[in-house]
Structures are given as structure tokens and as C-alpha cells.
């Protein structure tokens, strides 16, 4: 059984910037692949986590997300 892990908004922010730093715009494609694979495996919660990460990466790439700024959830 897989343990349930809580990932914070700050964690997602940091992961998003790491992906953008390592892969640039291609990080979006990696997230899309993960969503497709996880949905196909019947893991919707994991796919949703990648969707959220993808959204944050899009904001980072578009300049809407400050690397060192505070993270606020809406």
C-alpha cells in the first residue's frame, strides 16, 4: 500500500521551479505525459497533482510567478 503524503504549496512551488530550471518549456510536456499515464493507470489523485504542478510551471514560464515570493493559494 502506498502511504498518503501531504505536499505543501511551497513544495509544489519549489518542484515547479526545479522542473523549469532543468527542462524549460519542455517541463510542460513532461507534466502532460505524467497526467496521461496516471489517468490511464486509474490514479486520478496523482494525475491531479501533476495538473496542479503543470499550472504552476506555466505561471513560472510566463513570468507570473516570482521564484522567491510567498506562495498563496486561491
Amino acid at each position: 500500500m502506498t502511504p498518503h503524503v501531504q505536499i505543501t504549496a511551497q513544495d509544489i512551488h519549489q518542484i515547479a521551479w526545479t522542473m523549469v530550471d532543468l527542462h524549460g518549456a519542455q517541463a510542460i510536456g513532461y507534466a502532460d505525459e505524467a497526467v496521461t499515464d496516471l489517468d490511464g493507470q486509474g490514479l486520478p489523485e496523482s494525475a491531479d497533482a501533476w495538473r496542479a504542478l503543470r499550472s504552476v510551471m506555466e505561471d513560472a514560464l510566463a513570468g507570473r510567478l516570482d521564484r522567491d515570493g510567498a506562495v498563496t493559494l486561491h
Side-chain angles (χ1 to χ4, degrees), residues 5-70:
V5 177
Q6 292 284 338
I7 296 177
T8 67
Q10 187 62 42
D11 293 334
I12 290 176
H13 182 264
Q14 184 176 2
I15 293 166
W17 274 109
T18 299
M19 291 289 291
V20 167
D21 288 343
L22 291 173
H23 305 290
Q26 193 171 8
I28 300 299
Y30 294 145
D32 289 339
E33 288 179 32
V35 167
T36 300
D37 290 345
L38 292 164
D39 275 336
Q41 294 176 38
L43 299 168
E45 290 179 353
S46 296
D48 286 345
W50 274 95
R51 284 184 188 94
L53 179 60
R54 183 189 194 283
S55 177
V56 176
M57 289 189 296
E58 284 178 328
D59 287 345
L61 287 164
R64 294 186 297 262
L65 182 65
D66 182 22
R67 180 183 299 269
D68 300 318

